[in-house]
Amino acid sequence: MSTTTDLLNVRDAALQRRSIRAFEPLPIPREDLDGILDVVRLAPSAFNVQPWRFVIVETPELKAQLAAAAFNQRQVHSAPAVIVLYSDMQDALATIDETIHPGMDAVQRATTRQTILRSFQGQSPDQREAWGAAQAHIALGYLLLAAEAHGYQTSPMAGFDAEAVKRLLNLPENARVPALVAIGRGTEEGFPHHRHALERIARAA
């Protein structure tokens, strides 16, 4: 179990993180998974819509079926848990009052609600769900760093049959699945970072 004093800071977590595909078979304590996702839920989103949702897959039988939907990538078999990240804009917009800040007065809340709903009125369902999936990638970044900070390694995956994953987990038809994340205590070092230099990707204007 991780404690607050054990946690890495953001920079150290980012420097230490690798994509790991081999894990110890030991289950992850629920309090650790809850602690990680409690950090992830703080991720920002436009309009504070928070369209991301998570399913934690741990049972061997369900994990085996998930592995089949993920083209039998070894990290799904190896990890004690796989977190399925999905977005659901239909649910997010239907419950939008839950995400409007309680510090607003009644007029502000009504105006904010109208602004948010109007922003999506002209979009097709596919456009709304694509927007939600893009927002969910913010939560994905938080998830990878939060897991590392808590002492767990991860492997984010984009290679899977999203429709098969949705059927397996009984996700809503409209949902999008941006990523699967294998998580556990890694048993390999992984490749060291190989990233662009800062001056290659950033400039003053």
Side-chain angles (χ1 to χ4, degrees):
M1 176 181 173
S2 302
T3 65
T4 303
T5 55
D6 294 332
L7 301 184
L8 297 176
N9 63 40
V10 173
R11 178 173 174 77
D12 286 344
L15 287 171
Q16 185 171 293
R17 206 206 76 78
R18 306 284 190 272
S19 286
I20 298 299
R21 296 172 176 81
F23 300 89
E24 295 178 358
L26 300 175
I28 302 172
R30 177 58 53 181
E31 56 266 35
D32 283 3
L33 286 169
D34 287 348
I36 291 167
L37 291 175
D38 196 43
V39 173
V40 179
R41 71 181 182 83
L42 300 176
S45 60
F47 300 118
N48 199 36
V49 169
Q50 305 169 60
W52 43 71
R53 308 287 185 265
F54 306 90
V55 179
I56 303 167
V57 178
E58 298 174 284
T59 62
E61 298 80 11
L62 194 55
K63 202 150 59 71
Q65 295 177 71
L66 186 62
F71 313 123
N72 283 307
Q73 295 184 67
R74 66 186 178 98
Q75 57 267 45
V76 181
H77 291 286
S78 176
V82 178
I83 299 175
V84 177
L85 166 64
Y86 73 98
S87 59
D88 184 352
M89 280 298 291
Q90 187 170 300
D91 178 59
L93 293 177
T95 58
I96 199 66
D97 289 326
E98 295 178 9
T99 60
I100 297 175
H101 200 281
M104 293 182 178
D105 62 29
V107 174
Q108 291 172 317
R109 290 182 63 84
T111 301
T112 299
R113 187 179 196 279
Q114 185 178 35
T115 298
I116 295 171
L117 294 179
R118 188 189 302 122
S119 297
F120 295 101
Q121 280 177 352
Q123 295 185 3
S124 69
D126 280 348
Q127 287 174 321
R128 287 194 293 270
E129 296 303 338
W131 184 91
Q135 294 290 303
H137 279 93
I138 303 172
L140 174 61
Y142 269 58
L143 174 56
L144 301 180
L145 286 179
E148 192 70 38
H150 281 76
Y152 292 94
Q153 286 65 59
T154 54
S155 178
M157 292 164 278
F160 53 87
D161 182 337
E163 293 304 313
V165 172
K166 286 164 61 173
R167 288 192 299 270
L168 176 64
L169 299 177
N170 296 314
L171 303 185
E173 180 61 31
N174 63 285
R176 296 291 179 91
V177 186
L180 311 182
V181 180
I183 181 171
R185 303 282 189 186
T187 58
E188 62 182 13
E189 292 186 7
F191 288 106
H193 289 302
H194 178 63
R195 302 289 191 269
H196 285 305
L198 181 58
E199 57 270 21
R200 173 72 173 79
I201 61 172
R203 65 182 178 87

